[in-house]
Amino acid sequence: MNKELMEALDMLEKEKDISKETLFDAIENSLLTACKNHFGKADNIKVEIDRETCDFLCYAQKEVVKEVEDDCLQISVEEAKQVSKKAKVGDILNVEIKSKEFGRIATQNAKNVILQKIREEERSVIYNQYYEKEKDVVTGIVQRYIGRNISINLGKTDAILNENEQVRGESFRPTERIKVYILEVKNTPKGPRILVSRTHPELVKRLFETEVTEIKDGTVEIMSIAREAGSRTKMAVRSNNPNVDPVGACVGMNGARVNLIVEELRGEKIDIVNWDENPGILIQNALSPAKIVAVFADPDEKTAKVVVPDYQLSLAIGKEGQNARLAARLTGYKIDIKSETQAKDAPGFRYEDYEYDDYDDDDYEDGEYDEGLEGELYDGESYDEEEYTDEE
């Protein structure tokens, strides 16, 4: 019987990651509970379990008296002599309790104590395991739709992908494997509640950390990231090694690395630009693929004025203002974009203060941006809005 108990404990430890010491404590408590149900009290009852052999001993500490008033706490001299011939009045004897004598109800209660402890420890182990993975990316399997939310199986437990954390337009089939970002792990009476996201910018960051060796070892750093889930992400990177191109490392040979991430994000576009401590250069990079004539940045006010060629205004602003909006989030600057004509006519917008960068008109034909410059011209109309901030 003890051999079977040891095998059962080994199996529980292996499958549920619950330590045997915790299980031994649960068995001891269950025996104490059984004694309390059987005798009415268990204050003087002790349980000892050999951790090596699983042999256990349950005994009651009773005082030897001439006249017994409480069977649970006292023992007569005659009965004490049967336990120990040297017993005398006033001695405390350890009287063994046969667990086989427990009634059905006491036994059932003891069983429930062990099962309850196992469930509590299992929930605790799962909570600790996923709490360590909070703010990280894990792979899960789509289980089912619960209303507009999705249940994602993470292995030992399920997570909830709420509607507001889903990318608009994405749909999943049951048993489909997807990567999700763990937002929060809550400990509840019913077990850990795990909330995950597909829209968080950190999802893209963690995917690059997984795919790009240079990011994982610290050679390349992701300095900033801005995302509109399902549409476009802008990411600024820098290299701590002058011999390593940070953008090239993230893109990979023939785009192999970035394409894996784009595929995981269901075709979401990703712009990777070089980080620069000079805010003017950083803003110019962030507004890529638009060609910038000049940038004037105010680090104190966190504002920037940008001049672009007249036919580049729509590209700089982007479809529905997306390019400028993401650039503002990426840099942390409030960006005011004007065409050359607007800049010359704007009051207080001192055009002569700008340092001009050269640009080649040959790169543009009939207002279309050359795709070889890693960009695209949105065919949408020009927008009158001039300032794009993170709030917009």
Side-chain angles (χ1 to χ4, degrees):
M1 185 66 184
N2 294 340
K3 182 180 178 181
E4 293 176 357
L5 178 59
M6 181 62 79
E7 290 175 352
L9 296 179
D10 288 336
M11 187 178 298
L12 281 171
E13 184 178 43
K14 183 177 180 180
E15 291 183 357
K16 299 186 179 295
D17 200 21
I18 302 174
S19 68
K20 273 196 287 192
E21 185 60 36
T22 300
L23 295 171
F24 280 127
D25 291 341
I27 295 172
E28 289 177 353
N29 290 332
S30 69
L31 289 172
L32 288 173
T33 300
C35 289
K36 186 173 182 179
N37 288 324
H38 186 72
F39 299 109
K41 62 177 69 174
D43 297 337
N44 63 324
I45 295 175
K46 305 293 181 184
V47 178
E48 294 179 356
I49 300 179
D50 189 316
R51 267 51 173 172
E52 299 297 328
T53 63
C54 280
D55 291 332
F56 65 91
L57 177 64
C58 185
Y59 60 88
Q61 294 180 325
K62 295 185 178 182
E63 181 184 1
V64 181
V65 294
K66 291 182 179 179
E67 294 183 6
V68 176
E69 297 179 357
D70 189 337
D71 290 337
C72 295
L73 302 176
Q74 298 171 337
I75 186 172
S76 65
V77 177
E78 292 76 14
E79 291 178 341
K81 291 290 185 180
Q82 297 176 6
V83 178
S84 174
K85 294 181 179 180
K86 298 181 180 179
K88 58 182 183 297
V89 176
D91 287 350
I92 301 296
L93 288 183
N94 293 334
V95 181
E96 184 178 357
I97 299 173
K98 301 293 185 182
S99 58
K100 292 181 180 180
E101 297 176 359
F102 294 159
R104 180 180 59 83
I105 295 178
T107 304
Q108 185 63 39
N109 289 338
K111 176 184 175 182
N112 291 338
V113 169
I114 295 175
L115 293 176
Q116 179 65 23
K117 184 63 176 179
I118 291 174
R119 282 193 290 267
E120 289 176 0
E121 284 301 313
E122 187 176 10
R123 288 196 292 263
S124 177
V125 166
I126 293 173
Y127 170 78
N128 292 331
Q129 178 181 347
Y130 286 97
Y131 183 77
E132 293 175 357
K133 295 181 179 179
E134 199 174 60
K135 313 304 180 187
D136 205 351
V137 171
V138 296
T139 300
I141 299 175
V142 177
Q143 293 287 90
R144 63 191 183 280
Y145 277 83
I146 306 173
R148 295 186 177 181
N149 301 331
I150 303 175
S151 175
I152 309 290
N153 181 264
L154 301 182
K156 292 185 177 180
T157 188
D158 290 346
I160 299 297
L161 180 61
N162 289 325
E163 181 185 8
N164 58 351
E165 296 297 339
Q166 299 173 30
V167 177
R168 185 176 299 178
E170 275 191 351
S171 60
F172 305 105
R173 302 184 307 274
T175 72
E176 189 173 358
R177 298 178 70 86
I178 61 171
K179 292 186 183 296
V180 292
Y181 177 77
I182 297 181
L183 282 176
E184 186 180 19
V185 181
K186 297 180 180 178
N187 201 3
T188 69
K190 295 183 178 180
R193 177 178 172 82
I194 303 173
L195 302 178
V196 296
S197 173
R198 287 276 294 177
T199 62
H200 203 284
E202 287 290 314
L203 172 62
V204 181
K205 184 177 181 180
R206 294 286 183 262
L207 289 175
F208 271 100
E209 290 175 352
T210 302
E211 294 294 338
V212 181
T213 308
E214 289 81 358
I215 294 178
K216 190 180 299 182
D217 63 21
T219 304
V220 174
E221 288 185 70
I222 299 175
M223 302 302 295
S224 181
I225 191 166
R227 184 185 184 201
E228 291 193 356
S231 180
R232 184 179 292 274
T233 292
K234 280 185 181 286
M235 187 172 74
V237 294
R238 76 172 181 187
S239 174
N240 295 318
N241 185 336
N243 297 321
V244 176
D245 173 24
V247 175
C250 294
V251 172
M253 185 174 293
N254 297 324
R257 289 173 170 177
V258 73
N259 285 341
L260 286 174
I261 296 171
V262 169
E263 184 179 348
E264 176 60 39
L265 298 177
R266 308 297 177 94
E268 181 175 318
K269 298 176 182 177
I270 300 177
D271 295 340
I272 306 171
V273 301
N274 283 302
W275 172 268
D276 201 291
E277 296 298 336
N278 185 323
I281 298 176
L282 176 60
I283 290 169
Q284 180 174 327
N285 294 342
L287 286 170
S288 172
K291 189 70 178 180
I292 308 300
V293 173
V295 177
F296 179 77
D298 186 343
D300 296 328
E301 297 293 330
K302 287 290 184 180
T303 60
K305 296 179 180 180
V306 178
V307 178
V308 300
D310 290 355
Y311 48 83
Q312 285 280 285
L313 183 60
S314 291
L315 182 61
I317 293 173
K319 187 176 182 180
E320 299 179 354
Q322 184 185 70
N323 195 54
R325 189 165 56 248
L326 286 175
R329 294 179 188 173
L330 189 72
T331 61
Y333 277 71
K334 187 176 182 180
I335 301 176
D336 179 6
I337 303 177
K338 292 185 182 295
S339 67
E340 288 182 293
T341 302
Q342 291 172 334
K344 289 176 182 177
D345 298 338
F349 202 99
R350 297 184 60 189
Y351 192 61
E352 63 271 14
D353 288 343
Y354 291 87
E355 294 183 3
Y356 287 77
D357 294 327
D358 293 332
Y359 62 92
D360 188 359
D361 286 338
D362 293 338
D363 290 337
Y364 309 94
E365 294 181 5
D366 300 327
E368 294 184 356
Y369 190 70
D370 185 357
E371 292 184 359
L373 297 176
E374 299 180 353
E376 58 180 310
L377 177 63
Y378 291 104
D379 295 327
E381 59 180 344
S382 299
Y383 298 93
D384 295 330
E385 294 88 356
E386 296 174 354
E387 293 183 349
Y388 300 87
T389 65
D390 195 5
E391 289 80 11
E392 289 183 280

